[in-house]
Amino acid sequence: MQHHLPELVELNHLLDEAPSSLTVNIGHTVEVNGKSLPIHVLTLGNPDPSLPAIGYFGGVHGLERIGTRVLLVYLRGLINRLKWDPLLHRQLEMLRMVFVPLANPGGMFLNTRCNPAGVDLMRNAPLDAQEKVPFFLGGQRFSPNLPWYRGLPDAPMQPESQLLSRVVEEELTHRRFSLALDCHSGFGVRDRIWFPYAHTAKPFPNMPEVHALKELFEQTYPNHNYVVEPQSRQYLAHGDLWDHFYLNARTAAGPERVFLPLTLEMGSWLWVKKNPTQLFSRQGLFNPRPGHRLHRILRQHLLWLDFLARAMCGGDHWLPHGSNRLRHKKMALIEWYGWKAHS
Ligand SMILES: [Zn+2]
């Protein structure tokens, strides 16, 4: 077979057109079936560590190509706007942006969720769930030939996971305020924005910040259609990378730093419902078919991606403090963790 990873071909085309202000690094190269597949780390904007940063990640699960596609469309827009948009340049003076649009190229090349070693990267962190997880889906150590394999106990994380860990540490979590958005698909009928935790149903310490961000988004775009919730509301899992990165950052930097790792879970079940023939294709369960629907999906998430970058620039104007933070905490506990409101 020829090297055929259309997402990588498209990324390379984009990078050919990109100005030198976009820094391109190969974080790791995956060898699979005699092919060398690079994992790109792209950075843009002001590296000053006192400024906020945002990271966009996609393709962690090789089957979920749509996450990578959405990021490529967003990147294309940014690269083109760099040529003519002074407001984008102003934004980049205030913000660091980092992209890993295709984090598991070996898995995408092989059409598998896991990486070429059979490990599900989103179950690969050295972190066990504290409560009961769903059998298999929550992560398993029986066999790499079955889905949701965590890898061997006590083994180092997979190279793809290690690269993500490095990018998060070097570009995001040493800052006062940072956010990550990891783009996935395949769960449910609604588009969801998940925040930690996945390893426990306990409340996420930065829920007031997530709640304030949600309120900001609702005020700015009242007609949005995302469900924002902790992942633990849907299911718990072992080895979640974002829980792991978040807990590491909290241990290293202390609770006064704010790091918000979010996951965009595009609700693909509706795509299947409207086109049942997709049920017979593994790709179809995770990705919209080309055409009309694909275009709409690629378009509709751009707003959210761009909103997040702007919100990061404006953090001083909306990050809650004092009694306002308490108000958000209370609303978050009621909305997401089953607390009853007492007057
Ligand atoms: Zn996924």
Side-chain angles (χ1 to χ4, degrees), residues 55-75:
Y56 297 92
F57 302 84
V60 168
H61 288 138
L63 272 174
E64 299 164 18
R65 316 184 91 102
I66 185 69
T68 296
R69 299 291 300 272
V70 166
L71 291 184
L72 291 177
V73 171
Y74 183 50
L75 262 170

Side-chain angles (χ1 to χ4, degrees), residues 21 73 117 176 273:
S21 52
V73 171
R176 225 161 25 93
K273 205 162 89 185

Side-chain angles (χ1 to χ4, degrees), residues 61 64 113 184-185 265:
H61 288 138
E64 299 164 18
R113 172 182 169 95
H184 288 251
S185 62
E265 266 290 344

Side-chain angles (χ1 to χ4, degrees), residues 184-239:
H184 288 251
S185 62
F187 183 88
V189 296
R190 298 278 304 275
D191 292 327
R192 287 161 202 277
I193 308 297
W194 277 343
F195 60 89
Y197 289 128
H199 77 290
T200 174
K202 291 197 187 91
F204 176 55
N206 282 117
M207 65 185 153
E209 285 72 24
V210 176
H211 193 272
L213 179 69
K214 173 181 179 268
E215 191 178 83
L216 190 72
F217 188 54
E218 283 168 357
Q219 287 164 355
T220 315
Y221 298 106
N223 301 311
H224 85 82
N225 201 24
Y226 294 102
V227 178
V228 182
E229 63 184 2
Q231 184 184 331
S232 59
R233 282 252 293 221
Q234 296 301 332
Y235 62 89
L236 297 183
H238 294 302

Side-chain angles (χ1 to χ4, degrees), residues 277-303:
T277 57
Q278 282 177 265
L279 261 179
F280 301 103
S281 119
R282 252 152 54 85
Q283 284 294 331
L285 287 175
F286 297 93
N287 301 289
R289 288 163 62 90
H292 186 77
R293 174 176 298 278
L294 172 65
H295 285 278
R296 210 197 57 221
I297 288 156
L298 291 176
R299 220 172 32 239
Q300 75 192 16
H301 296 295
L302 295 181
L303 192 74

